[in-house]
Amino acid sequence: MAPKGDNLNSIIGEGSVFQGNFFINGSVQIDGKFEGELKAEAQVVIGETGKVKTPVVEAGKVIVAGTLIGNIKATEEVNLLETSRMLGDIETPIKKKKK
């Protein structure tokens, strides 16, 4: 799901659980469960099996295919895929809803 050439440095895999603060210089893909503060320099991808609960996801780009409970603050764009479920507010210059 992360575009080629994007600096994807971390994956929280399906079946994994992470609680706490996660700050990353690059991108992260979440296919498991995450609860806490989440910031990425480049991109956050929440896969179809991903479940995220956070006050705010901060990143350049955010792609949601799974479940997000929390707000998004993106400096570039937000993509909500057809499989996404989200409860929160979105702050970004570009919003896209894809099927």
Side-chain angles (χ1 to χ4, degrees):
M1 199 174 300
K4 289 183 180 180
D6 194 20
N7 189 14
L8 180 65
N9 348 29
S10 295
I11 297 175
I12 297 174
E14 189 173 348
S16 298
V17 178
F18 184 96
Q19 284 186 297
N21 298 328
F22 198 57
F23 307 114
I24 187 156
N25 184 13
S27 295
V28 61
Q29 181 166 328
I30 301 170
D31 294 321
K33 293 182 181 178
F34 175 88
E35 186 172 343
E37 194 173 346
L38 181 58
K39 292 181 184 180
E41 287 285 321
Q43 179 171 274
V44 172
V45 178
I46 301 171
E48 286 188 37
T49 57
K51 292 178 173 56
V52 175
K53 185 175 180 183
T54 181
V56 63
V57 173
E58 292 185 46
K61 295 180 183 180
V62 179
I63 299 172
V64 182
T67 302
L68 171 63
I69 298 173
N71 301 319
I72 296 174
K73 185 176 183 180
T75 57
E76 295 178 38
E77 68 179 87
V78 173
N79 292 313
L80 301 177
L81 304 183
E82 185 177 311
T83 56
S84 67
R85 293 167 302 283
M86 184 186 162
L87 178 62
D89 296 324
I90 299 172
E91 182 181 327
T92 185
I94 301 171
K95 296 176 192 173
K96 295 180 182 179
K97 186 172 182 178
K98 294 185 178 181
K99 293 184 178 184

